[in-house]
């Protein structure tokens, strides 16, 4: 469920929303609804703030998975231009971005790469992440796209299903401090939004 090397990440089929029954391959279309009470919320609109001041894609990862944390560190070490942001799937922002991608907020079965206009999961996310980081990984991603999706899915799912058993897990995200510099943009957007709403509320109260 982590990121690289590709031998570890391969394959994934998207779990569509109840409104989309056809099976998707490497990417998940953005969805304005999710499950149950979330159906009334337009999650694309609700999470647009994450991309207003920073358009870089966000990699969602299992924050308690040792393999996944290692994958995040690998991506970070090979992303000198800091083209990718990170967020744990278990965080509130991560859950909202899962909903934006048409997935259940408690679904931590796959790494997810969320761009402004679409999302990628499993092997599709891995290959897309490789396209963003330093050489030679973009070229390797092009080559690996020739591997049939069902084979990449098979490898990815088997590793993801056994990641805790093989690599272990931690009580909390071991990457939280190391990746703070590439998570701050999301935090700033949230804080600005809260501040604006508070100021508007105070002005309205004064006027009345």
């Amino acid at each position: 469920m982590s990121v690289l090397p590709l031998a570890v990440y391969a394959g994934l089929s998207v779990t569509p929303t109840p409104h989309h029954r056809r099976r998707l391959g490497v990417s998940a279309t953005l969805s304005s609804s999710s499950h149950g009470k979330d159906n009334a919320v337009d999650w694309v609109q609700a999470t647009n703030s994450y991309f207003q001041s920073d358009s870089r894609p966000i990699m969602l990862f299992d924050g308690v998975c040792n393999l996944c944390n290692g994958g995040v560190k690998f991506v970070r070490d090979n992303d000198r231009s800091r083209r990718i942001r990170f967020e744990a799937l278990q965080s509130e922002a991560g859950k909202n971005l899962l909903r934006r991608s048409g997935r259940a907020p408690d679904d931590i079965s796959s790494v997810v790469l969320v761009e402004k206009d679409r999302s990628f999961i499993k092997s599709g996310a891995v290959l897309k992440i490789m396209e963003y980081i330093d050489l030679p990984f973009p070229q390797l991603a092009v080559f690996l796209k020739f591997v049939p999706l069902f084979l990449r899915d098979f490898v990815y799912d088997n590793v993801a299903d056994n990641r805790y058993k093989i690599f272990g897990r931690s009580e909390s995200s071991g990457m939280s401090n190391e990746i703070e510099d590439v998570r701050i943009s999301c935090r700033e957007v949230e804080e600005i939004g809260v501040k604006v709403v508070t100021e508007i509320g105070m002005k309205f109260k004064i006027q009345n």
Side-chain angles (χ1 to χ4, degrees):
M1 141 106 204
S2 178
V3 189
L4 304 171
L6 215 299
V8 174
Y9 305 93
L12 219 258
S13 53
V14 177
T15 303
T17 66
H19 304 291
H20 299 80
R21 295 299 182 185
R22 67 188 182 87
R23 188 178 180 85
L24 302 179
V26 296
S27 65
T29 55
L30 297 184
S31 172
S32 59
S33 64
S34 184
H35 299 76
K37 63 181 181 180
D38 293 334
N39 287 336
V41 180
D42 184 341
W43 286 105
V44 175
Q45 183 65 31
T47 56
N48 274 342
S49 60
Y50 295 131
F51 298 95
Q52 287 179 351
S53 63
D54 191 337
S55 62
R56 291 177 299 165
I58 303 172
M59 173 184 163
L60 304 180
F61 66 99
D62 183 351
V64 299
C65 167
N66 291 337
L67 175 63
C68 308
N69 283 319
V72 170
K73 186 177 187 304
F74 182 93
V75 172
R76 176 178 163 79
D77 291 345
N78 289 277
D79 181 19
R80 288 173 294 181
S81 299
R82 294 293 182 261
R83 300 179 65 191
I84 296 178
R85 293 177 285 168
F86 305 89
E87 191 65 60
L89 287 161
Q90 293 90 341
S91 69
E92 195 61 35
K95 292 177 181 178
N96 290 339
L97 288 167
L98 280 172
R99 294 182 176 104
R100 176 189 178 93
S101 303
R103 297 175 68 80
D106 59 350
D107 186 350
I108 61 171
S109 64
S110 171
V111 62
V112 182
L113 186 71
V114 186
E115 294 181 335
K116 184 176 182 180
D117 299 320
R118 57 180 173 174
S119 298
F120 300 84
I121 64 171
K122 297 188 178 181
S123 69
V126 172
L127 295 184
K128 194 65 180 178
I129 290 167
M130 292 174 68
E131 293 178 11
Y132 277 102
I133 60 179
D134 304 333
L135 299 175
F137 296 103
Q139 290 77 6
L140 181 58
V142 173
F143 174 76
L144 289 171
K145 286 181 179 179
F146 289 100
V147 177
L149 178 61
F150 77 92
L151 288 179
R152 291 189 275 124
D153 284 351
F154 178 78
V155 175
Y156 187 100
D157 287 335
N158 275 277
V159 172
D161 291 344
N162 294 283
R163 64 188 186 276
Y164 295 146
K165 183 185 300 183
I166 299 173
F167 300 97
R169 59 181 297 167
S170 57
E171 293 301 319
S172 60
S173 175
M175 298 300 298
S176 57
N177 293 327
E178 294 185 47
I179 65 175
E180 189 61 32
D181 61 323
V182 285
R183 294 177 63 181
I184 192 65
S185 56
C186 279
R187 297 289 183 263
E188 290 176 337
V189 169
E190 292 173 347
E191 291 171 1
I192 290 172
V194 171
K195 183 178 180 181
V196 169
V197 170
T198 302
E199 290 178 352
I200 292 175
M202 291 178 63
K203 290 180 180 179
F204 181 82
K205 185 176 181 180
I206 293 174
Q207 291 176 355
N208 290 276

